[in-house]
Amino acid sequence: MSEAPVAGSNSANKYQLNDDQLAFLDSVRRFCRERIEPRAADIDATSEFPIDLFKEMAAVGFMGAPYPEEWGGAACDAVMVCLLLEEVSRASGAVGSSLNAHISLASSVIAGHGTAEQRHKYLVELTSGRKIGAFGLTEPSGGSNAAACRTKAVRRGDRYVLNGAKAFITNSTVADIFVVTARTAEGSGSQGVSAFILERGMKGFSIGKDDRKMGMNGSPTAQLFFEDVEVPRENLVGDEGKGFRQFAQTLDRGRINVAALSVGLAQAAMDAAVEYAKVRNQFGRPIAAFQGIQWPIAEMATDIEAARLLTLNAARMYEAGLSIKKEGAMAKYFAAEASLRACSAAIEIHGGYGYMRDLPVERFYRDAKMYQIGEGTSQIQRMIIARELLGRYDF
């Protein structure tokens, strides 16, 4: 990994990070280079979830980064969370993906909409890293139309009985605490969807086998199955029928974090391409001397810069209490597409070696592809941006 820092290679701190953010970035980068990056290839090759690394990240506060100290968190602002996720993803896409699912999705719903009792019972366990979280929205029947939830929850006395399934759930096979949606009212669209907290081991709650994926190996995904799962009434998050709105708000913030993850993979790809271009010789000189190599690297650098600026701007807007629906979607859309372009270009710059698993660039590409899909496809992001600009048109 090259020394090209998120805060810029010059001393002017071009991203205008404050002292706390710069110090945090320095400590995060050091941890990622020393503890995560050396393990990345092996994590991908074995597809094993690195539980020991997550315990180490818990010890330094990463697992509760965005949350207040009273709930066991590290009280990081939105910019610091983006810096964290970018650097972790730059070191390992798989570790970044699972960390994000834990802090940005599962924990976020409980922190933002849970009761004091739920926060003390579940959130503190998540922020401390004693438990790992997962977030269940997507179903086998589809993900983009999240309001068309088929998992059902029927109220029976002081409990809800859940039946249904979820699909492609990150951290599913290693998680202890799950936040999932289920329909509590028929024919009500998104207004009939509620959110619940489930625990591993509840009767009737089972987890499928690890999905065999193109990338993000070591960040497990699988289906969740609910067969007459009895969930206590106190595990309902917020008001009945308001779960979709809670998840939508979580995804608005989550898109910024996914943008940061995408930037991290893109930066890793460019680091590798620049380093290789300087040492690979053809026709008597380094390939960095050829315009055919210089131009794609220049395009990569410009894409990454634009994606990072979009991401940090959206994070600062969130921190200021401003609406980020459009800006978060823009950051996620652009960063995901830019990341895939950068990873593809890095493979081409490496030539035949780039296609081999001996070098990391093919892994970067496989990992980056997920972010065109996860937490809202690029097509959905375009739709959100257009609706924010033009208004909603239903035909």
Side-chain angles (χ1 to χ4, degrees):
M1 187 180 291
S2 76
E3 290 298 320
V6 169
S9 58
N10 54 42
S11 60
N13 183 13
K14 62 180 177 179
Y15 299 112
Q16 301 179 26
L17 304 179
N18 62 37
D19 290 344
D20 289 341
Q21 291 164 347
L22 285 168
F24 179 74
L25 171 60
D26 183 64
S27 66
V28 167
R29 180 176 290 126
R30 196 162 49 244
F31 180 93
C32 291
R33 289 183 177 179
E34 293 175 0
R35 305 303 306 150
I36 300 177
E37 186 184 1
R39 299 271 304 277
D42 188 58
I43 291 168
D44 177 68
T46 63
S47 295
E48 292 183 6
F49 181 77
I51 186 63
D52 58 323
L53 275 181
F54 277 77
K55 289 179 178 178
E56 289 186 47
M57 289 194 291
V60 293
F62 293 179
M63 300 290 277
Y67 304 108
E69 292 178 359
E70 64 181 295
W71 300 338
C76 293
D77 62 31
V79 169
M80 293 165 80
V81 173
C82 286
L83 299 175
L84 167 64
L85 292 174
E86 177 179 337
E87 289 299 315
V88 173
S89 183
R90 187 178 173 188
S92 167
V95 175
S97 177
S98 280
L99 177 62
N100 181 60
H102 176 90
I103 66 173
S104 175
L105 299 176
S107 302
S108 181
V109 177
I110 301 173
H113 305 282
T115 63
E117 291 76 13
Q118 289 171 343
R119 290 168 182 163
H120 284 104
K121 182 176 181 180
Y122 295 111
L123 186 59
V124 172
E125 292 291 290
L126 293 169
T127 58
S128 67
R130 290 190 293 270
K131 300 286 180 68
I132 291 174
F135 175 88
L137 176 63
T138 300
E139 299 192 340
S141 58
S144 293
N145 186 11
C149 177
R150 295 187 179 182
T151 297
K152 295 183 179 180
V154 178
R155 178 80 179 270
R156 293 181 184 170
D158 62 351
R159 295 179 178 272
Y160 288 88
V161 179
L162 270 63
N163 283 281
K166 301 292 179 180
F168 313 124
I169 307 305
T170 302
N171 291 347
S172 49
T173 60
V174 296
D176 309 284
I177 297 170
F178 301 77
V179 181
V180 305
T181 52
R183 180 166 296 285
T184 50
E186 293 290 347
S188 302
S190 63
Q191 295 303 310
V193 177
S194 302
F196 298 89
I197 302 170
L198 275 64
E199 299 180 46
R200 174 183 288 272
M202 284 182 165
K203 185 179 179 180
F205 175 27
S206 60
I207 301 167
K209 296 180 180 179
D210 281 349
D211 294 327
R212 297 179 63 192
K213 306 189 298 294
M214 172 182 176
M216 293 298 179
N217 300 318
S219 176
T221 66
Q223 286 190 291
L224 309 179
F225 301 100
F226 315 114
E227 297 180 16
D228 293 329
V229 180
E230 294 188 2
V231 181
R233 169 70 176 78
E234 57 265 28
N235 282 32
L236 172 70
V237 182
D239 296 328
E240 188 174 299
K242 302 298 183 183
F244 184 81
R245 181 178 300 176
Q246 296 162 8
F247 274 51
Q249 292 173 358
T250 296
L251 291 174
D252 285 345
R253 165 70 185 277
R255 291 184 184 107
I256 303 174
N257 293 341
V258 171
L261 293 166
S262 297
V263 172
L265 284 168
Q267 185 68 56
M270 191 178 81
D271 292 343
V274 168
E275 183 177 348
Y276 186 79
K278 290 179 178 179
V279 300
R280 174 65 166 170
N281 286 290
Q282 288 290 286
F283 305 101
R285 51 182 173 164
I287 62 173
F290 296 100
Q291 191 177 75
I293 299 298
Q294 295 169 357
W295 283 16
I297 287 177
E299 290 165 359
M300 293 162 71
T302 304
D303 265 354
I304 293 167
E305 185 78 357
R308 184 178 289 125
L309 289 168
L310 281 167
T311 302
L312 293 176
N313 178 65
R316 287 176 172 131
M317 289 179 64
Y318 175 86
E319 202 63 38
L322 301 174
S323 172
I324 57 163
K325 184 169 287 293
K326 174 166 62 73
E327 288 75 13
M330 285 178 167
K332 197 273 185 186
Y333 162 62
F334 187 85
E337 297 293 325
S339 182
L340 200 63
R341 288 194 295 269
C343 293
S344 179
I347 291 174
E348 293 181 17
I349 288 168
H350 281 74
Y353 292 108
Y355 199 64
M356 302 294 110
R357 293 204 173 188
D358 294 334
L359 295 180
V361 287
E362 62 84 31
R363 166 166 49 88
F364 300 153
Y365 183 90
R366 288 186 286 108
D367 288 349
K369 185 64 181 176
M370 193 192 80
Y371 292 131
Q372 281 189 317
I373 302 167
E375 289 199 49
T377 64
S378 289
Q379 291 82 358
I380 290 295
Q381 305 313 313
R382 293 184 185 101
M383 183 182 73
I384 292 169
I385 296 163
R387 283 179 174 176
E388 290 297 298
L389 293 168
L390 301 171
R392 180 185 288 268
Y393 290 87
D394 293 321
F395 298 98

